Amino acid sequence: MVEKTFTITDPAGMHARPASALVGSLTKFQSDITMEFKDKKVNLKSILGVMSLGVPSGSQVQIAADGADEAEAMETIERVLKEQGISNE
C-alpha cells in the first residue's frame, strides 16, 4: 500500500472538472484507490464519492492505493493533480 497526503490549492477546492479528470485517469488501474477527508473515506474511482467529500481549498486529503499497480496509480494521481492545478505537491 502507498499513501500520500495532498494539499488542495485550487481556490475552488476539489470541484467537478478536475475531479472528473482524476477519476477518469484511474479507471484503468486494478488497485483499490481511496481518498480520505475529515474521517470520511471514498473510492477515488467514483466521481460521486469524490464530490460528496466537499473538499475546500487549503484542505489536506489522504490518498491511498493498494494493489498490484499501486505505484503507477500514485504517480498518475500526482501528475493529474498537478496538471489540473488542484495540488502542487
Side-chain angles (χ1 to χ4, degrees):
M1 175 182 280
V2 292
E3 297 179 313
K4 186 164 182 181
T5 300
F6 295 91
T7 301
I8 304 304
T9 56
D10 188 301
M14 178 64 80
H15 55 97
R17 181 190 45 79
S20 179
L22 180 59
V23 168
S25 72
L26 300 177
T27 59
K28 65 182 179 180
F29 295 105
Q30 293 180 358
S31 293
D32 290 327
I33 306 170
T34 59
M35 176 184 280
E36 185 174 356
F37 176 66
K38 288 191 173 179
D39 297 323
K40 185 175 178 187
K41 189 181 289 190
V42 298
N43 179 354
L44 195 48
K45 296 179 188 179
S46 164
I47 187 67
L48 291 176
V50 174
M51 295 307 298
S52 75
L53 293 175
V55 182
S57 182
S59 298
Q60 290 191 328
V61 296
Q62 293 74 39
I63 297 179
D66 186 21
D69 51 7
E70 61 191 28
E72 184 182 354
M74 190 60 75
E75 289 173 9
T76 298
I77 292 164
E78 292 176 13
R79 178 180 51 78
V80 172
L81 288 175
K82 285 180 184 177
E83 287 174 356
Q84 295 295 316
I86 294 298
S87 177
N88 55 11
E89 297 178 40

